């Protein structure tokens, strides 16, 4: 956990390369821990993936996002849902940027559903819009229309 904190400090200060170095060490230590702390591992993987994106290691970041989601899926605690939603949204953005529009559409849809479940409607609508945008880029106009109809039917917020 000390390595995670140091990596988080490096990431916060914009030093992605040092953050990566320290977070990779934290991941190695976490992988060796028995029993594995899935909550910690999911948060660690999310931060690591964000730093990988920051240095342009998109392919590796996609794998680490999947690792974060896999770790989070084994945690029954509802307090992790926001981290999971953030992970799905970040993965959707990376997939969209990488031209993986079908996977982006799924990721954004999962994020939107989780944000709605934890009563964060503005984040949910942001993901619904992103899902629609990715669906247009994928030429899946039925999904795009569904997303934009959802947005149009949403109540206005001051």
């Amino acid at each position: 956990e000390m390595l995670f904190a140091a990596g988080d400090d490096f990431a916060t200060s914009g030093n992605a390369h040092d953050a990566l170095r320290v977070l990779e060490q934290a991941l190695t230590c976490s992988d060796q821990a028995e029993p594995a702390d899935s909550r910690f591992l999911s948060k660690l993987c999310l931060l690591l993936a964000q730093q990988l994106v920051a240095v342009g290691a998109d392919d590796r970041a996609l794998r680490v996002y999947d690792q974060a989601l896999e770790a989070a899926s084994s945690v029954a605690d509802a307090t992790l849902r926001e981290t999971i939603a953030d992970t799905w949204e970040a993965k959707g953005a990376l997939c969209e940027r990488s031209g993986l529009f079908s996977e982006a559409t799924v990721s954004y849809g999962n994020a939107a559903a989780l944000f709605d479940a934890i009563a964060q409607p503005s984040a949910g609508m942001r993901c619904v819009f992103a899902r629609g945008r990715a669906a247009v880029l994928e030429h899946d106009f039925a999904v795009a229309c569904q997303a934009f109809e959802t947005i149009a039917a949403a109540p206005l917020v001051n």
Side-chain angles (χ1 to χ4, degrees), residues 112 115-116 120-131 147 150-152 154-155:
F115 280 128
D116 285 346
Q120 291 190 13
S122 62
M125 283 296 115
R126 181 180 66 235
C127 291
V128 169
F129 178 79
R131 181 175 188 244
T150 299
I151 293 168

Side-chain angles (χ1 to χ4, degrees), residues 34 40-41 80 93 121 129 147 153:
E34 289 296 328
F40 174 74
L41 182 59
L80 196 55
F129 178 79

Side-chain angles (χ1 to χ4, degrees), residues 89-107:
E89 183 178 14
K91 182 180 178 188
L94 181 56
C95 289
E96 185 177 357
R97 193 176 83 212
S98 300
L100 304 169
F101 303 123
S102 178
E103 195 166 340
T105 301
V106 170
S107 295

Side-chain angles (χ1 to χ4, degrees), residues 2-143:
M2 290 178 8
L3 288 171
F4 175 82
D8 189 36
D9 288 344
F10 281 129
T12 301
S13 68
N15 190 342
H17 290 284
D18 283 337
L20 272 177
R21 181 179 47 78
V22 173
L23 292 170
E24 289 281 1
Q25 290 174 348
L27 184 60
T28 300
C29 291
S30 179
D31 286 345
Q32 296 169 355
E34 289 296 328
D37 182 349
S38 296
R39 175 191 321 279
F40 174 74
L41 182 59
S42 65
K43 291 181 180 184
L44 171 61
C45 288
L46 176 59
L47 183 58
L48 177 58
Q50 291 167 340
Q51 297 312 299
L52 287 164
V53 168
V55 299
D58 293 354
D59 289 341
R60 174 102 198 286
L62 283 173
R63 290 191 301 276
V64 175
Y65 278 133
D66 286 339
Q67 190 176 357
L69 292 165
E70 181 180 328
S73 71
S74 65
V75 178
D77 191 341
T79 60
L80 196 55
R81 287 194 279 176
E82 185 172 358
T83 299
I84 297 168
D86 290 339
T87 302
W88 277 118
E89 183 178 14
K91 182 180 178 188
L94 181 56
C95 289
E96 185 177 357
R97 193 176 83 212
S98 300
L100 304 169
F101 303 123
S102 178
E103 195 166 340
T105 301
V106 170
S107 295
Y108 284 135
N110 289 337
L114 278 169
F115 280 128
D116 285 346
I118 59 175
Q120 291 190 13
S122 62
M125 283 296 115
R126 181 180 66 235
C127 291
V128 169
F129 178 79
R131 181 175 188 244
R133 182 182 60 227
V136 167
L137 293 169
E138 184 188 2
H139 300 283
D140 187 342
F141 300 115
V143 170

